[in-house]
Amino acid sequence: MADMNLTPFDPSIFILTGISGLETAHEWISIPFSISYIIGLLGNFTLLFVVSKEQTLHKPMYLLICILALTDIATSTAIVPKALCIFWFNLKVITVGGCLTQMFFLHMFSIMHSAILVTMAIDRYVAICNPLRYTIFLTNARIAKLGLVGLVRAVLFSLPMPLLLRRLPFCANRIIPTTFCEHIAVAKISCGDITVNRMYGLVLMFLIMVLDLPLIVLSYGLIIRAIFRMSSKKAHEKALSTCTAHIFVMLMYYTPSLFSNLAHRFGQGIAPHIHIILSNLYLLVPPMLNPIIYGAKTKELRNKVGKYTCRS
C-alpha cells in the first residue's frame, strides 16, 4: 500500500488510523459510510436541480434549503472520500498541508451550517408570526446577503485553527486516531503546549452556542406559541408540520455535535471509537437526512420533486 513506504516519523505527513479499535471492521463500516454519502449526494443534488428549474420555488425558504444542501454536499465530501480510502485501501497517509486544508474547510462548513439553521429559524418566525411583513423583511437578496455574512463569519472563525496548529511542534508521534483531521485531534498529538488550541476550541464552541442556539430556541419558542394560538385548523397543521421538520433538523445537528465536542475534551473515560463514531455521525447523518426531511415535510417542494422523479 502507498502508506507502507512512509513512516509516522516523516515530518511532511500525518497518519489517519480510521476508527481506532475497530480496524478489523473497516470494510463493514465503509458500507453505511458509502450508502449515506450516496443518498446525501442524490438527495441534495435533486433539491438543487428542482429548485433551480422551478420558478415558483425561487423564494427565500427554498433559497435557504439550497444553501444548506450545498453546505451538506461540501461537508460530507470533505470527509467521506478520504475515510473510504482508509477503509478500502488502507491509504492512511495525509500530507500536513492536506490535513490543515481539510480541517479548515470542515470547520468552516460546520460553522456555516449553524448560521444557515439560524437564518432558517428567523425565516420561519417571520413567515408564521408576522406573515404580512414576510415579503418585505425577507427577500431573496436579503437571504443572499445573510448567507454571505454567515460565510465570512465561518471563514474568520475557522482560519485561526490551521494557523494555531502551524505553530506547534510535532515530534515522533504523527498518528491521528480518527478518520479526518479535526482541530483538537491534531493538536493532541503535538509534543508542544496546546493550551491556546484548547482554549480557542472552547471559546469557539461557546460562541456558536451563545450566538446561534439562543436565537434558534427563541424563534421556535415564539413560533410554537403562535401556532397554538391559530384559529384555523388547516393553518395550524401546516405550520406545525413545517416547524416539526425544521426543529428535527436542528436537534439532529446540534445534539451529536455538542456531545462530540464535549466528549473530545472531557470524555477521557469514553472509548476512542465512540468519539470517532460520534464525530462522523454529526457530519454524515444531517447531509443524508436533510433533503429527505424537507422533501417529505414541505408540500410544495414534495410536489415539485415528484413531478421530476415520477416521470416515465
Side-chain angles (χ1 to χ4, degrees):
M1 295 298 172
D3 64 324
M4 293 302 166
N5 296 324
L6 294 166
T7 71
F9 307 103
D10 188 332
S12 65
I13 59 99
F14 290 124
I15 306 292
L16 293 167
T17 63
I19 301 181
S20 299
L22 298 177
E23 288 84 356
T24 56
H26 273 177
E27 289 186 3
W28 290 105
I29 294 169
S30 70
I31 296 172
F33 264 70
S34 52
I35 290 174
S36 63
Y37 182 54
I38 292 167
I39 292 173
L41 288 182
L42 288 174
N44 285 300
F45 276 121
T46 299
L47 287 183
L48 291 170
F49 173 77
V50 171
V51 174
S52 67
K53 286 289 185 180
E54 291 293 328
Q55 192 70 31
T56 56
L57 297 181
H58 294 180
K59 301 174 184 177
M61 183 176 77
Y62 299 109
L63 178 58
L64 283 169
I65 290 175
C66 285
I67 298 172
L68 185 67
L70 288 170
T71 307
D72 284 340
I73 291 168
T75 300
S76 55
T77 301
I79 64 165
V80 175
K82 181 58 183 177
L84 293 178
C85 284
I86 296 169
F87 296 153
W88 289 342
F89 310 113
N90 205 35
L91 296 175
K92 301 179 179 181
V93 171
I94 185 167
T95 63
V96 172
C99 182
L100 296 180
T101 301
Q102 183 193 49
M103 182 195 67
F104 169 75
F105 282 108
L106 189 59
H107 286 288
M108 185 190 78
F109 293 137
S110 295
I111 296 168
M112 181 68 182
H113 194 123
S114 183
I116 296 166
L117 294 181
V118 173
T119 310
M120 293 179 89
I122 295 171
D123 172 84
R124 288 302 83 202
Y125 166 73
V126 178
I128 293 170
C129 298
N130 205 343
L132 296 178
R133 298 188 61 190
Y134 182 77
T135 54
I136 300 170
F137 183 71
L138 285 173
T139 62
N140 286 346
R142 188 159 289 169
I143 291 295
K145 288 176 183 177
L146 288 172
L148 182 60
V149 170
L151 178 62
V152 171
R153 185 189 78 151
V155 170
L156 292 177
F157 280 4
S158 302
L159 192 58
M161 295 183 190
L163 298 178
L164 287 171
L165 286 174
R166 275 287 186 189
R167 57 178 268 283
L168 291 175
F170 292 91
C171 306
N173 178 27
R174 306 186 73 84
I175 300 174
I176 306 169
T178 184
T179 57
F180 59 88
C181 291
E182 196 269 339
H183 177 233
I184 291 299
V186 178
K188 280 182 177 179
I189 68 169
S190 170
C191 52
D193 183 6
I194 64 169
T195 303
V196 176
N197 298 74
R198 286 184 179 275
M199 288 185 65
Y200 183 75
L202 285 171
V203 167
L204 184 57
M205 183 175 66
F206 178 76
L207 280 174
I208 296 298
M209 295 305 165
V210 167
L211 293 175
D212 294 359
L213 270 183
L215 278 173
I216 290 173
V217 171
L218 177 63
S219 296
Y220 283 104
L222 294 171
I223 288 169
I224 291 169
R225 187 181 69 174
I227 287 173
F228 286 109
R229 288 180 175 177
M230 289 178 177
S231 55
S232 168
K233 185 178 179 182
K234 186 176 179 181
H236 181 285
E237 289 176 352
K238 182 180 178 181
L240 192 60
S241 176
T242 303
C243 284
T244 301
H246 284 244
I247 292 169
F248 184 76
V249 168
M250 310 289 171
L251 291 173
M252 187 174 61
Y253 177 75
Y254 283 109
T255 305
S257 171
L258 179 60
F259 190 81
S260 174
N261 277 289
L262 292 175
H264 239 310
R265 289 165 175 83
F266 308 112
Q268 285 79 10
I270 301 175
H273 63 272
I274 300 297
H275 280 201
I276 300 165
I277 290 170
L278 282 171
S279 298
N280 282 280
L281 274 179
Y282 93 86
L283 295 171
L284 277 175
V285 175
M288 177 182 67
L289 293 183
N290 284 349
I292 298 172
I293 292 168
Y294 287 119
K297 283 290 185 180
T298 311
K299 185 178 179 181
E300 190 177 8
L301 183 56
R302 182 173 69 244
N303 291 339
K304 298 299 182 182
V305 170
K307 171 184 170 182
Y308 288 94
T309 56
C310 295
R311 280 178 176 175
S312 56

